[in-house]
Amino acid sequence: MIELTDTNASGIAAELVRARTRAGSPVMGMVLTLVIVVDEDQAPAAMEAAQAASHEHPARVLGVILGDGRGSGRIDAQVGTGQGWSGETALIRLRGEVVRHAESVVLPLLLPDAPVAVWWPADSPVDPAGDPLGALGQRRITDAAAATRARTKAMLTQCAAYARGNTDLAWTRLTRWRALLAAALDQHPLKVRSATVAAERISPSADLLVAWLHDRLKVTVTRIVSDGPGITEVVLATGEGDIRVSRPSGGLATFSSPGRPDRPVALPRRSLPELLGEELRRLDEDEVYAAVARSLVTGGSGRVTKRSAAKRPATKRSAAKRSAAKRTTKRSASKRAAARRKES
């Protein structure tokens, strides 16, 4: 990687050309530009995930770190190619006044006649399509599950601000769940009377799955809190019995259906590069996600979401505390009775 200090967009572009020439591949074979908007602490993990995804989608990866917006503008960058990357990469650090005009730095670095995807690995803007950097992309990828706070609120905010090209990795995590449940109803074309989704207490993916099931099946969907990890069980209740997918460990799931023996199904939790790679395969609008986002924003008439935590077994310590509290209450009652007798 070549270090550039106090540079500009033209200096970064020139260094990208020189790096490509040194690598012996002056002809570009990249299919898109991936812009990653990230902070300093999360940059290494985000760039590592983009590197793994670039093996499937050769891209020019531009990591943009928005620093302190005070003071005079300064641009530093690390530029290179190779070293595990299938395309070119630049990690750009912005400070000072230029932070408010980050799009002016990124725009000259986009590949000509190639689509652009913008990814916020953690906290994303309220309106990705209206963000200056987000407006550069045909695909805008957020991740409500990675928000540093209020993940459920972050998911609802992204649904409310949905625009063509928006997507969220919380939705991408549901791809295999949705495929398995759709295949189950293909095998058992039964009328579903109700559905239940069990997942950890805060799970944007589970909330999206509840909205998807209601939008498709038009039934009451109950949300139950489990210990996780992630989504642990989905039950579709039918007149002939329950169709059940149970994944208590986050890896191998058990598929149960009426009149058939239970079957193991591989349903592992996918890594970040896998999720990112899936989203980069298609840059058109995800109409199903758009419908689910609208359902969540409008409240989805007829959908009922309940949160009920499983009762925890009483421990010896808690039982002892309750016994001590009862003894204290009895002693207090005895003292009050004795006081009343003295007064009388």
Side-chain angles (χ1 to χ4, degrees), residues 190 194 234-245 255-259:
L190 305 172
S194 64
V234 177
V235 180
L236 306 179
T238 72
E240 297 184 13
D242 292 344
I243 298 174
R244 184 186 305 269
V245 180
F255 176 69
S256 307
S257 57

Side-chain angles (χ1 to χ4, degrees), residues 36-41 43 63-76 91-102 105 133:
I36 307 173
V37 187
V38 67
D39 62 26
E40 189 71 52
D41 293 337
V64 181
I65 299 175
L66 303 178
D68 191 348
R70 295 173 294 181
S72 58
R74 180 185 174 96
I75 304 174
D76 299 324
L91 185 60
I92 306 167
R93 294 178 172 86
L94 307 181
R95 285 183 291 173
E97 186 179 358
V98 73
V99 170
R100 295 190 290 273
H101 307 284
V105 178
L133 285 174

Side-chain angles (χ1 to χ4, degrees), residues 9 12-13 16 30 32-38 46-47 50 59-65 77-80 85 87-93 102-103 105-111 116-119 121 133 136:
I12 297 173
L16 285 171
M30 292 162 286
L32 60 89
T33 303
L34 175 61
V35 180
I36 307 173
V37 187
V38 67
M47 295 299 284
R60 172 177 286 182
V61 179
L62 305 176
V64 181
I65 299 175
Q78 294 174 304
V79 181
W85 292 89
E88 302 166 341
T89 177
L91 185 60
I92 306 167
R93 294 178 172 86
E103 73 280 4
V105 178
V106 174
L107 183 60
L109 302 177
L110 304 180
L111 291 172
V116 178
V118 184
W119 173 37
L133 285 174
L136 300 176

Side-chain angles (χ1 to χ4, degrees), residues 166-180:
N166 287 14
T167 191
D168 196 286
L169 294 184
W171 172 252
T172 315
R173 292 182 178 92
L174 295 176
T175 299
R176 293 182 178 178
W177 278 99
R178 294 189 295 119
L180 182 57

Side-chain angles (χ1 to χ4, degrees), residues 35-323:
V35 180
I36 307 173
V37 187
V38 67
D39 62 26
E40 189 71 52
D41 293 337
Q42 296 163 335
M47 295 299 284
E48 183 179 350
Q51 183 182 45
S54 72
H55 295 161
E56 182 179 352
H57 308 280
R60 172 177 286 182
V61 179
L62 305 176
V64 181
I65 299 175
L66 303 178
D68 191 348
R70 295 173 294 181
S72 58
R74 180 185 174 96
I75 304 174
D76 299 324
Q78 294 174 304
V79 181
T81 188
Q83 300 179 351
W85 292 89
S86 61
E88 302 166 341
T89 177
L91 185 60
I92 306 167
R93 294 178 172 86
L94 307 181
R95 285 183 291 173
E97 186 179 358
V98 73
V99 170
R100 295 190 290 273
H101 307 284
E103 73 280 4
S104 65
V105 178
V106 174
L107 183 60
L109 302 177
L110 304 180
L111 291 172
D113 302 322
V116 178
V118 184
W119 173 37
W120 291 268
D123 297 320
S124 55
V126 173
D127 182 10
D131 182 79
L133 285 174
L136 300 176
Q138 288 78 43
R139 195 69 161 176
R140 293 168 291 275
I141 306 169
T142 58
D143 190 357
T148 55
R149 60 184 182 276
R151 287 178 286 172
T152 301
K153 182 180 178 181
M155 181 267 297
L156 293 173
T157 299
Q158 293 307 316
C159 290
Y162 177 81
R164 183 181 180 88
N166 287 14
T167 191
D168 196 286
L169 294 184
W171 172 252
T172 315
R173 292 182 178 92
L174 295 176
T175 299
R176 293 182 178 178
W177 278 99
R178 294 189 295 119
L180 182 57
L181 292 171
L185 290 179
D186 285 340
Q187 296 176 18
H188 302 274
L190 305 172
K191 181 174 178 56
V192 177
R193 296 178 174 179
S194 64
T196 302
V197 175
E200 55 192 7
R201 186 175 65 86
I202 300 176
S203 175
S205 293
D207 296 333
L208 288 169
L209 182 58
V210 167
W212 176 71
L213 287 171
H214 169 71
D215 183 67
R216 293 295 168 176
L217 300 176
K218 309 301 181 186
V219 297
T220 297
V221 184
T222 304
R223 168 82 149 81
I224 298 177
V225 177
S226 68
D227 293 332
I231 300 171
T232 55
E233 187 176 64
V234 177
V235 180
L236 306 179
T238 72
E240 297 184 13
D242 292 344
I243 298 174
R244 184 186 305 269
V245 180
S246 179
R247 189 190 65 176
S249 63
L252 189 67
T254 301
F255 176 69
S256 307
S257 57
R260 297 190 182 184
D262 294 351
R263 304 193 298 274
V265 179
L267 195 62
R269 304 187 75 190
R270 292 187 293 167
S271 65
L272 186 56
E274 290 178 295
L275 299 171
L276 184 60
E278 178 181 329
E279 284 301 332
L280 295 179
R281 287 187 204 117
R282 52 175 299 175
L283 300 177
D284 57 334
E285 183 178 18
D286 188 339
E287 296 179 354
V288 179
Y289 174 63
V292 170
R294 286 193 297 268
S295 175
L296 274 171
V297 172
T298 59
S301 59
R303 177 170 63 88
V304 178
T305 303
K306 299 179 181 178
R307 296 181 179 270
S308 55
K311 294 182 179 180
R312 297 181 179 179
T315 62
K316 292 182 179 179
R317 181 177 297 177
S318 61
K321 286 182 178 179
R322 287 196 296 271
S323 298

